[in-house]
C-alpha cells in the first residue's frame, strides 16, 4: 500500500506524458484489485486536495472504446452541465462520449482506476483518445495480469507496482488465519497440508479456497483425512472439480481459456514443461537451448533461433504459466541468477489433460516415478525419469523408444538409461546426476548419433568426455559446467554445428587468487546498491577455472557462446589467436591470461568479432599491471568482466558507448582519471567493483565525482552526463573504504533512496561509509 501510494504521488517530468500512469500487475487471485480498492477508498475518504474526481471502470472484452467511455462517464457522477449532456447525447454517438470524457479529464483532477486491461492495443486506444487529453494532475491506475502490458503502459519501469505472491511462511500464516472457525487445526495437519499449500503458489485467493476445502475434513477420523489429502494431492484438478470448489474451478476455467487461445506451437511448449517435476528450478537459457534442439524455434541462423525461442519463453511467462522462483539469497550467490518454476496449477492442468484426453495432444510426455511402468510400453516423444523411480533394467528395456526425442534424468542415473533404440533422440539432459561415471558415456556417439543437446552440468564425477563425442555431428549445445572436465577431446573440432559450449566453474584458480572461494553477503542500499561483506571478501574472489581447448577450435565457426577457455597452458597463445576465426561469437570467457600468452590476446582480430557483445577475461597473479591498458576492445560490447589481478583499466574503456554492465576486480583503488573514464559510459546501468588491495593501506577512498573546471565535487550544467544511467552499484573490499557520491548521481532518486546513502553500514566489525556530496 505504501509503494502504491508513493507511486500515485510521484511527480512526472515532461518526457513521461501528461498523466501519471501507475500499472499494478500480478497473477490472478494475488490481490491486485483488493490492494487498489483499499488505496482508492483511502483517497476518496481522506482526500488531501490531490483529486476532485474518482472513477473506477472495468474494461469489457472484447474492448469497445465507446462502451468504455460510457462506463467512465456514468461512474463520474458529474454535476450539471455535464450530467444533462450525458443522458441527452453521450450515448447517441461514439464521438460525443469520447469528446465529453476528454473535456472532463482536462478540466478536473481525476484518480481513475482501469481494471482488467488485457492487451497493449486496448491501452493504446485508451491512451491516445483519452489519457493524453488529460493533465499532469490526473493519475490513472491500470490493473492487469500481464506484466508486459503493465510495462507498456508505464512511463518507466520504476512506475510499475508488481504484486508478488506470498512466500511460504506468510502463505502458511494466512492458511492458519482463514482456516474455518470451529475446525481443529493441529501441527500434524499443517505438515500434511504443506504439499497442497505449495500448489497454491502463494496466491491468497487459492490459499483461502484450499482452507475452505480442507476445513470440513478436520473433524473427521485421521485415516479419512490422510486418504482424502493424498487423493487431492495426487489428482488435484479432478478432485476440486468433482467437489465443485468454485474458486479453484474459476482458476482452471481461466487456465483453459488462456490455453485454448494459444497457437499450436505455444501449446507444445507449455506441454513440454510437464517434463519437469513440481518445484524444479529451471533456468531460462537451459530451456531455450532445449527448444532450439527440438526444432520449436523457427528463426534463421543461430542468433534469430535463440531470439525466437526466448520470445516463446517470454510469452509463456506473460501468461503466468511459468514464474520466477521465490528463493532466498544465500551466501553462495555471488550474483543471483533468476530461476523459474512451472506454475503448480498449470502443471496439474497439463497432467490432467494428458490423462483425460487420448487424442489431439500437442505432444506426448511420459514420466517414470515410484514403482510405475508405462501401461502401453510405448514411450511418448519426451521422457522424464524421476529420482524416485524404482524400475529395473528389464522393465526399462521392454519399452518402445522409437519415437523418443528427449530424455531427462533427475538425479538418479543408471547406465542402461542410454539405449541403441533411441536413434532419433535429440536432447539428453543429465544435469545434476551425482552418480554418473566416465565410462557410462563411452558409446554415446554410436548409440544416439542425432543428438543436438547434451547437458552434464553439475555431474561432478565426470572428468573426461569420450572420443566418440566426435560422432555427434548434429550437436549444437554442450554444457559441462561444474564438472571435473579440464580438457576438450580433439574430436570435438569435427562438430561443426556446435553453437554453445559452457565449461569450467566460478571458483578461483590457484594461480589467480590462491585463496578460498569468495562467498559474499549483501546489503541493499540506493536503488539497487549492494555492498559485499568485507569480512567475507578476505576469502577469495569470483574467478573462473576453464578448459583446455584443442588446436583447431577456430574451425567451429558456428559458435556464438564459448567459455571458459583456459589460456595458461603450452600453446595457449595460439589458441587465443584462433578465436579470431569465430566470427559468430556473441559471448566469450577467457581465463589464465598472463605475460606469456598475452601476445595471443593482442593478436585476436577484435574488429572481426563484430557480433561479440559479452566478454570476460581473467588475469593470473603476477601479470604485468599494464597488460590490458592498451587492449582495443570491440566497440559493440554490452557486458564486460575483468577479474583476477587487474591493476590498470583498458585505456579507452570510456569509448564503449554500448556498454551496459561492467564488472571489475582490481588490485588498486580507482584514481580520479579512472572515475572520469568510467563516467563517460553513456549507457552503463550496472557497475560491480571488487577491490583486492595488495599494499599496506587498510583503508581508502573512492570519489564518484567528475573533475570539471578544477572542481572534483561539482559538475556544471553544460558538462556531459556522468553515470547518468547507473542504477546498480556493488562494491566489495577487504578493508575499510570511504565512498562519496556526486549530488547529480542521486538527483533522480527519491528522498528515501538518497538518504540511505548517508547511512553507515557496519558489516562484520568493519565499516562501509556512504556519503552523498
Amino acid at each position: 500500500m505504501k509503494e502504491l501510494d508513493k507511486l500515485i504521488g510521484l511527480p512526472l517530468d515532461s518526457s513521461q506524458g501528461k498523466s501519471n500512469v501507475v500499472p499494478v500487475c500480478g497473477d490472478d487471485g494475488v490481490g491486485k484489485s483488493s490492494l487498489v480498492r483499499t488505496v482508492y477508498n483511502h483517497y476518496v475518504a481522506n482526500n488531501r486536495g490531490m483529486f476532485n474526481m474518482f472513477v473506477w471502470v472495468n474494461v469489457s472484452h472484447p474492448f469497445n472504446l465507446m462502451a468504455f467511455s460510457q462506463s467512465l462517464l456514468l461512474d463520474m457522477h458529474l454535476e450539471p452541465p455535464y450530467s444533462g449532456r450525458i443522458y441527452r447525447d453521450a450515448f447517441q454517438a461514439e464521438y460525443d462520449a469520447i469528446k465529453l470524457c476528454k473535456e472532463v479529464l482536462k478540466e478536473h483532477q481525476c484518480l481513475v482506476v482501469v481494471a482488467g486491461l488485457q492487451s497493449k492495443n486496448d491501452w493504446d486506444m485508451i491512451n491516445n483518445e483519452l489519457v493524453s487529453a488529460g493533465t499532469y494532475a490526473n493519475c490513472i491506475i491500470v490493473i492487469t495480469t500481464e506484466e508486459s502490458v503493465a510495462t507498456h503502459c508505464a512511463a518507466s519501469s520504476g512506475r510499475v507496482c508488481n504484486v508478488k505472491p506470498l512466500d511460504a511462511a506468510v502463505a502458511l500464516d494466512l492458511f492458519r488465519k482463514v482456516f474455518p472457525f470451529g475446525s481443529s487445526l493441529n501441527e500434524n495437519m499443517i505438515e500434511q497440508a504443506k504439499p497442497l499449500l505449495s500448489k497454491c503458489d502463494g496466491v491468497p485467493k487459492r490459499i483461502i479456497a484450499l482452507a475452505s476445502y480442507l476445513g470440513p475434513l478436520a473433524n473427521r477420523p485421521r485415516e479419512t483425512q490422510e486418504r482424502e489429502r493424498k487423493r487431492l494431492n495426487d489428482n488435484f484438478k479432478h478432485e476440486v472439480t468433482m467437489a465443485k470448489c468454485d474458486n479453484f474451478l474459476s482458476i482452471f476455467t481461466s487456465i483453459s481459456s488462456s490455453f485454448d487461445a494459444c497457437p499450436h506451437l505455444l501449446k507444445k511448449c507449455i506441454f513440454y514443461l510437464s517434463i519437469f517435476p513440481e518445484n524444479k528450478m529451471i533456468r531460462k537459457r537451459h530451456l531455450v537451448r532445449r527448444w532450439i534442439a527440438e526444432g520449436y524455434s523457427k528463426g534463421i541462423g543461430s542468433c534469430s533461433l535463440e531470439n525466437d525461442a526466448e520470445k516463446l519463453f517470454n510469452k509463456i511467462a506473460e501468461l503466468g504459466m511459468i514464474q520466477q522462483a521465490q528463493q532466498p539469497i544465500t551466501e553462495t550467490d555471488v550474483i543471483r541468477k533468476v530461476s523459474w518454476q512451472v506454475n503448480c496449477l498449470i502443471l496439474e492442468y497439463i497432467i490432467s489433460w494428458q490423462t483425460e484426453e487420448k487424442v489431439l495432444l500437442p505432444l506426448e510426455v511420459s514420466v517414470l516415478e515410484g514403482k510405475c511402468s508405462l501401461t502401453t510400453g510405448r514411450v511418448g516423444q519426451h521422457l522424464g525419469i524421476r529420482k524416485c523411480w524404482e524400475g529395473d533394467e528389464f522393465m526399462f528395456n521392454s519399452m518402445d523408444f522409437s519415437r523418443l526425442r528427449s530424455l531427462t534424468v533427475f538425479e538418479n542415473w543408471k547406465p542402461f538409461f542410454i539405449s541403441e533404440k533411441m536413434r532419433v533422440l535429440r536432447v539428453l539432459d543429465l544435469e545434476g546426476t551425482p552418480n554418473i561415471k566416465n565410462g557410462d558415456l563411452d558409446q554415446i556417439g554410436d548409440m544416439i548419433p542425432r543428438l543436438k543437446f547434451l547437458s552434464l552440468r553439475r555431474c561432478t564425477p565426470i572428468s573426461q568426455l569420450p572420443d566418440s563425442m566426435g560422432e555427434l555431428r548434429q550437436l549444437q549445445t554442450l554444457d559441462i559446467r561444474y564438472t571435473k572436465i579440464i580438457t576438450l577431446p580433439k574430436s570435438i573440432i569435427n562438430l561443426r554445428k556446435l553453437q554453445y559450449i559452457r565449461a569450467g566453474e566460478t571458483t578461483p584458480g590457484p594461480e589467480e587468487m590462491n585463496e578460498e572461494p569468495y562467498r559474499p553477503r549483501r546489503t541493499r542500499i540506493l536503488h539497487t546498491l549492494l555492498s559485499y561483506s568485507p569480512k567475507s571478501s578476505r576469502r577469495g574472489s569470483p574467478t573462473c577455472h576453464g578448459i583446455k581447448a584443442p588446436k583447431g577450435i577456430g574451425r567451429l565457426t558456428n559458435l556464438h557462446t564459448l567459455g571458459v577457455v583456459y589460456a595458461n597452458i603450452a600453446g595457449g597463445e595460439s589458441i587465443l589467436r584462433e578465436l579470431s576465426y569465430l566470427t559468430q561469437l556473441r559471448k566469450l570467457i577467457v581465463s589464465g591470461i598472463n605475460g606469456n600468452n598475452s601476445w595471443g590476446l593482442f593478436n585476436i582480430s577484435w574488429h572481426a568479432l563484430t557480433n561479440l557483445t559479452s566478454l570476460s577475461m581473467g588475469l593470473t597473479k603476477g601479470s604485468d599491471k599494464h597488460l590490458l591498458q592498451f587492449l582495443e576492445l570491440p566497440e559493440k560490447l554490452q557486458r564486460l568482466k575483468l577479474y583476477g589481478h587487474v591493476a590498470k583499466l583498458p585505456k579507452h574503456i570510456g569509448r564503449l558507448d554500448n556498454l551496459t554492465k561492467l564488472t571489475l576486480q582490481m588490485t588498486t583503488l580507482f584514481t580520479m582519471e579512472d572515475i572520469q573514464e568510467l563516467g563517460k559510459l553513456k549507457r552503463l546501468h550496472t557497475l560491480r567493483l571488487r577491490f583486492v588491495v595488495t599494499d599496506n593501506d587498510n583503508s581508502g577512498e573512492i570519489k564518484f565525482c567528475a573533475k570539471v573546471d578544477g572542481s572534483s565535487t561539482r559538475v556544471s550544467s553544460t558538462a556531459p552526463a556522468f553515470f547518468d544511467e547507473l542504477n546498480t552499484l556493488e562494491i566489495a573490499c577487504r578493508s575499510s573504504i570511504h565512498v562519496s557520491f556526486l549530488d547529480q548521481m542521486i538527483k533522480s532518486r527519491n528522498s528515501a533512496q538518497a538518504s540511505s546513502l548517508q547511512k553507515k553500514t557496519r558489516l562484520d566489525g568493519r565499516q562501509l561509509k556512504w556519503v552523498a556530496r
Side-chain angles (χ1 to χ4, degrees):
M1 288 176 60
K2 290 180 180 179
E3 180 184 350
L4 181 56
D5 184 56
K6 181 179 70 177
L7 291 173
I8 291 173
L10 202 62
L12 288 169
D13 59 44
S14 57
S15 65
Q16 294 179 318
K18 286 192 173 182
S19 299
N20 181 18
V21 180
V22 181
V24 178
C25 66
D27 295 336
D28 279 324
V30 81
K32 305 179 297 297
S33 296
S34 298
L35 169 68
V36 174
R37 178 66 73 177
T38 303
V39 174
Y40 177 84
N41 290 340
H42 175 76
Y43 273 91
V44 173
N46 305 284
N47 190 16
R48 291 167 285 184
M50 291 179 63
F51 307 106
N52 54 28
M53 185 169 290
F54 303 89
V55 188
W56 186 295
V57 59
N58 296 309
V59 179
S60 60
H61 305 287
F63 179 72
N64 183 285
L65 186 61
M66 179 175 67
F68 179 83
S69 302
Q70 292 169 352
S71 299
L72 200 63
L73 290 170
L74 286 174
D75 200 65
M76 285 178 176
H77 304 294
L78 297 172
E79 300 293 334
Y82 293 112
S83 57
R85 291 177 58 189
I86 291 175
Y87 292 101
R88 185 177 68 251
D89 58 10
F91 299 101
Q92 301 299 316
E94 179 180 355
Y95 172 79
D96 291 335
I98 296 173
K99 182 179 179 181
L100 187 53
C101 279
K102 287 181 179 179
E103 290 181 22
V104 175
L105 291 172
K106 188 174 182 179
E107 296 177 10
H108 290 76
Q109 296 170 292
C110 303
L111 176 61
V112 180
V113 177
V114 179
L117 188 69
Q118 290 187 358
S119 78
K120 299 175 184 178
N121 291 336
D122 294 352
W123 171 252
D124 288 339
M125 292 177 65
I126 296 171
N127 186 46
N128 294 337
E129 294 293 336
L130 301 175
V131 177
S132 60
T135 68
Y136 289 103
N138 293 337
C139 179
I140 315 296
I141 302 176
V142 178
I143 304 176
T144 178
T145 58
E146 306 285 347
E147 188 171 356
S148 62
V149 174
T151 305
H152 180 74
C153 297
S156 65
S157 58
R159 291 180 178 268
V160 177
C161 181
N162 197 332
V163 184
K164 298 290 187 181
L166 307 178
D167 62 32
V170 181
L172 181 60
D173 186 53
L174 176 61
F175 180 78
R176 292 174 185 268
K177 289 179 179 179
V178 299
F179 202 77
F181 179 75
S183 300
S184 58
L185 181 64
N186 53 50
E187 291 303 317
N188 182 55
M189 291 176 60
I190 289 174
E191 286 300 316
Q192 293 178 354
K194 282 182 179 179
L196 293 172
L197 199 58
S198 69
K199 295 181 184 293
C200 297
D201 293 316
V203 176
K205 183 178 179 181
R206 301 175 193 174
I207 295 169
I208 294 170
L210 181 64
S212 300
Y213 180 86
L214 295 178
L217 298 176
N219 297 322
R220 299 177 69 178
R222 182 172 179 177
E223 294 78 10
T224 304
Q225 292 181 33
E226 293 179 354
R227 184 174 63 251
E228 291 296 322
R229 275 192 290 268
K230 184 178 186 304
R231 190 170 67 178
L232 182 61
N233 191 49
D234 291 343
N235 198 348
F236 191 79
K237 178 179 180 292
H238 176 75
E239 292 300 325
V240 297
T241 300
M242 294 300 293
K244 297 182 179 180
C245 185
D246 292 339
N247 281 336
F248 280 112
L249 286 178
S250 65
I251 293 168
F252 282 121
T253 301
S254 175
I255 291 173
S256 179
S257 176
S258 298
F259 185 82
D260 290 342
C262 293
H264 183 71
L265 178 58
L266 201 60
K267 288 180 180 178
K268 290 178 70 174
C269 293
I270 294 170
F271 259 63
Y272 198 89
L273 299 175
S274 64
I275 294 172
F276 303 98
E278 188 176 314
N279 300 322
K280 172 69 176 177
M281 299 293 181
I282 305 171
R283 299 185 317 281
K284 179 178 180 179
R285 182 67 53 211
H286 182 78
L287 197 55
V288 162
R289 294 305 308 174
R290 286 185 60 140
W291 283 349
I292 291 173
E294 298 283 4
Y296 295 166
S297 179
K298 302 301 180 183
I300 300 174
S302 61
C303 180
S304 58
L305 278 171
E306 196 156 296
N307 291 339
D308 192 56
E310 285 188 0
K311 288 178 182 178
L312 291 172
F313 184 96
N314 293 338
K315 182 60 179 176
I316 292 174
E318 288 172 10
L319 292 172
M321 296 187 177
I322 190 169
Q323 54 202 17
Q324 290 189 19
Q326 297 183 39
Q327 53 183 353
I329 298 174
T330 66
E331 291 193 2
T332 59
D333 291 325
V334 177
I335 301 298
R336 186 178 68 171
K337 302 294 184 182
V338 175
S339 294
W340 298 78
Q341 286 178 310
V342 185
N343 184 309
C344 289
L345 291 185
I346 295 295
L347 201 56
E348 290 289 340
Y349 177 81
I350 296 171
I351 293 171
S352 66
W353 193 1
Q354 288 176 328
T355 303
E356 297 165 9
E357 299 287 341
K358 301 301 181 184
V359 294
L360 302 178
L361 291 174
L363 82 170
E364 296 178 56
V365 176
S366 303
V367 174
L368 296 177
E369 56 185 339
K371 297 181 180 180
C372 78
S373 62
L374 301 178
T375 55
T376 64
R378 184 182 183 183
V379 177
Q381 299 150 312
H382 309 279
L383 176 63
I385 304 178
R386 302 284 196 263
K387 179 182 179 180
C388 59
W389 187 57
E390 299 176 8
D392 56 18
E393 185 173 0
F394 176 79
M395 184 184 296
F396 190 81
N397 289 335
S398 65
M399 300 178 190
D400 179 5
F401 299 113
S402 60
R403 299 188 306 139
L404 187 63
R405 295 178 62 90
S406 78
L407 174 62
T408 308
V409 180
F410 298 96
E411 297 188 40
N412 188 19
W413 164 261
K414 296 178 182 179
F416 57 80
F417 283 167
I418 295 182
S419 168
E420 290 182 347
K421 295 186 290 183
M422 302 175 180
R423 304 300 292 181
V424 297
L425 194 71
R426 300 289 191 273
V427 172
L428 180 59
D429 191 349
L430 308 180
E431 180 171 319
T433 53
N435 58 338
I436 190 171
K437 302 179 181 64
N438 286 326
D440 294 342
L441 301 176
D442 281 351
Q443 304 303 317
I444 188 172
D446 300 322
M447 289 185 173
I448 43 178
R450 298 185 184 182
L451 199 66
K452 293 186 176 182
F453 175 100
L454 175 61
S455 177
L456 300 174
R457 189 185 181 107
R458 289 191 290 107
C459 295
T460 50
I462 296 291
S463 61
Q464 63 183 28
L465 292 173
D467 290 335
S468 64
M469 282 286 298
E471 301 301 319
L472 300 176
R473 302 301 175 94
Q474 304 298 317
L475 195 66
Q476 298 171 342
T477 299
L478 177 62
D479 190 345
I480 52 175
R481 294 188 74 187
Y482 310 110
T483 66
K484 296 178 181 177
I485 298 171
I486 59 173
T487 304
L488 290 176
K490 294 180 180 179
S491 59
I492 204 166
I493 64 174
N494 298 323
L495 309 183
R496 303 301 174 84
K497 293 187 178 182
L498 262 178
Q499 302 170 2
Y500 183 99
I501 299 178
R502 287 307 309 268
E505 54 185 274
T506 53
T507 55
E511 76 278 26
E512 287 173 335
M513 282 309 300
N514 196 26
E515 295 179 352
E516 296 177 11
Y518 175 47
R519 296 291 182 262
R521 289 186 296 173
R522 308 190 293 181
T523 299
R524 191 177 183 96
I525 307 176
L526 196 76
H527 178 54
T528 314
L529 178 60
L530 306 173
S531 67
Y532 289 152
S533 160
K535 181 177 179 180
S536 298
S537 67
R538 299 190 210 118
R539 298 201 294 267
S541 63
T543 56
C544 298
H545 283 316
I547 52 168
K548 301 174 184 178
K551 186 177 181 181
I553 190 73
R555 299 178 189 177
L556 303 180
T557 53
N558 281 312
L559 277 176
H560 63 68
T561 299
L562 176 61
V564 180
V565 176
Y566 188 62
N568 192 17
I569 58 172
E573 182 179 333
S574 63
I575 295 296
L576 291 177
R577 282 201 300 266
E578 283 197 58
L579 299 180
S580 299
Y581 301 114
L582 305 178
T583 56
Q584 299 300 313
L585 272 182
R586 300 203 301 277
K587 181 172 184 176
L588 175 63
I589 309 174
V590 182
S591 69
I593 298 173
N594 56 29
N596 295 327
N597 55 44
S598 60
W599 190 245
L601 185 68
F602 283 91
N603 279 342
I604 295 178
S605 300
W606 295 107
H607 64 277
L609 304 180
T610 56
N611 296 298
L612 193 66
T613 59
S614 177
L615 175 64
S616 299
M617 294 190 292
L619 276 64
T620 63
K621 189 174 183 179
S623 300
D624 186 343
K625 67 178 182 180
H626 299 289
L627 184 60
L628 298 179
Q629 194 170 12
F630 299 101
L631 183 65
E632 292 290 338
L633 296 171
E635 294 182 357
K636 290 187 178 181
L637 274 184
Q638 298 174 14
R639 295 173 295 277
L640 175 63
K641 295 182 182 179
L642 302 177
Y643 56 86
H645 289 260
V646 181
K648 295 286 186 179
L649 294 178
K651 189 173 183 180
H652 302 298
I653 193 172
R655 297 179 184 178
L656 301 177
D657 291 339
N658 295 304
L659 201 66
T660 59
K661 295 183 179 180
L662 177 61
T663 301
L664 298 171
Q665 179 184 294
M666 306 285 293
T667 57
T668 58
L669 292 179
F670 280 153
T671 64
M672 184 62 70
E673 288 72 22
D674 292 332
I675 295 293
Q676 291 181 59
E677 192 69 18
L678 295 179
K680 296 176 184 178
L681 296 169
K682 301 175 182 179
R683 300 184 182 179
L684 188 68
H685 62 67
T686 301
L687 177 60
R688 299 184 174 106
L689 306 173
R690 166 156 162 70
F691 297 102
V692 187
V693 184
T694 55
D695 57 26
N696 295 325
D697 187 11
N698 291 323
S699 63
E701 183 175 12
I702 301 177
K703 295 182 179 181
F704 285 91
C705 308
K707 191 173 183 180
V708 179
D709 297 331
S711 172
S712 64
T713 58
R714 293 289 181 266
V715 176
S716 68
S717 59
T718 60
F722 184 73
F723 291 110
D724 196 43
E725 297 296 322
L726 189 67
N727 60 29
T728 300
L729 175 62
E730 296 181 14
I731 297 179
C733 188
R734 66 173 66 197
S735 57
S736 299
I737 186 171
H738 186 277
V739 183
S740 57
F741 296 90
L742 184 68
D743 183 59
Q744 279 85 343
M745 285 186 65
I746 58 172
K747 65 181 179 180
S748 61
R749 279 77 177 178
N750 60 47
S751 58
Q753 292 165 339
S755 63
S756 69
L757 285 172
Q758 299 173 350
K759 296 180 179 178
K760 296 180 180 180
T761 305
R762 183 172 295 278
L763 299 172
D764 297 320
R766 289 183 178 269
Q767 196 176 79
L768 201 60
K769 186 177 182 181
W770 309 89
V771 179
R773 290 185 176 178

